Amino acid sequence: MNRPAEPIAPQGFQQGPPAPPAFPRETGAPQGPPPPGPGPSGPQTGGDDWVISPPSAEAPGQPAPGFPPPAQPQGPANWTATVGPDREYFMAMMQRSGPEAAGLNLPAYSPEQHHPLIGNQVTIGRRRHSTGDTPDIDLSVPPEDPGVSHQHAILVQQPDGGWAVVDQNSTNGTTVNGGEEPIQPFVPVPLQDGDKVHVGAWTTITVRRD
């Protein structure tokens, strides 16, 4: 009497029809995922199924999920202050000022000055002729801005490498980014790349990070 054929688990390099789509397991074999194959583009050693790496598999040399790549060391950033007359600021200042500002005129031509921000602080003001004290950004050079105090403001380097502006209790105050209200004296105001510091009658100082 003939018995029905019993299913046989796939053997390595077994000749015969291809295995069905399901993954048959031998009776008593431990449950779990099939053993890894040789790689994402090759077949398993013991069957006809192609091994495809799961989506979570990472290529060699890639950081594990959930762990950010190590930060690359960066050198200190270079900042530059560009100084020059600003027509828009001058017109806004004239509208806010009293009759004493009626005699002020925007210079017809004044080349921009470029000052690298070096050290812990950069002083802004006008040279004091009686003592010879000259700030780092000297606005007494022609055309002299008469609205700038001798010790008007200071750019101070921050712990993160950025810069802040501090008004030195100047006569006409310091504004930032077209603001109408002057900043408080002796209180650092952090600056971002491209921010504008307004002092005097027409001077705007633009700080840029290179």
Side-chain angles (χ1 to χ4, degrees):
M1 180 177 177
N2 295 328
R3 293 185 301 173
E6 297 180 358
I8 301 176
Q11 301 294 328
F13 303 98
Q14 180 180 355
Q15 301 294 329
F23 294 91
R25 297 186 176 89
E26 294 181 344
T27 304
Q31 299 297 321
S41 59
Q44 290 187 6
T45 304
D48 298 327
D49 298 311
W50 290 80
V51 177
I52 300 176
S53 299
S56 61
E58 297 292 339
Q62 298 295 325
F67 293 89
Q72 298 295 329
Q74 298 181 357
N78 296 322
W79 290 75
T80 303
T82 302
V83 184
D86 185 338
R87 177 176 295 274
E88 184 177 354
Y89 164 63
F90 173 73
M91 298 303 295
M93 187 277 303
M94 291 291 288
Q95 292 179 357
R96 296 194 300 266
S97 301
E100 65 277 3
L104 294 175
N105 295 299
L106 184 70
Y109 173 74
S110 178
E112 289 184 338
Q113 304 176 40
H114 299 275
H115 298 268
L117 301 184
I118 301 174
N120 295 326
Q121 65 180 30
V122 176
T123 55
I124 303 169
R126 288 187 300 129
R127 181 176 183 271
R128 193 183 299 273
H129 296 285
S130 60
T131 62
D133 293 339
T134 304
D136 298 313
I137 299 178
D138 182 13
L139 298 174
S140 68
V141 296
E144 181 175 4
D145 189 333
V148 175
S149 300
H150 292 291
Q151 296 179 343
H152 196 105
I154 298 178
L155 295 174
V156 181
Q157 190 175 39
Q158 302 297 286
D160 62 357
W163 290 80
V165 60
V166 182
D167 183 81
Q168 295 293 96
N169 199 25
S170 61
T171 301
N172 296 307
T174 302
T175 57
V176 176
N177 292 331
E180 294 186 1
E181 293 297 327
I183 62 177
Q184 295 183 15
F186 308 116
V187 177
V189 176
L191 300 173
Q192 304 296 325
D193 182 20
D195 279 353
K196 299 179 182 295
V197 177
H198 310 288
V199 297
W202 55 66
T203 301
T204 291
I205 303 170
T206 305
V207 295
R208 295 196 178 280
R209 178 176 180 174
D210 300 335

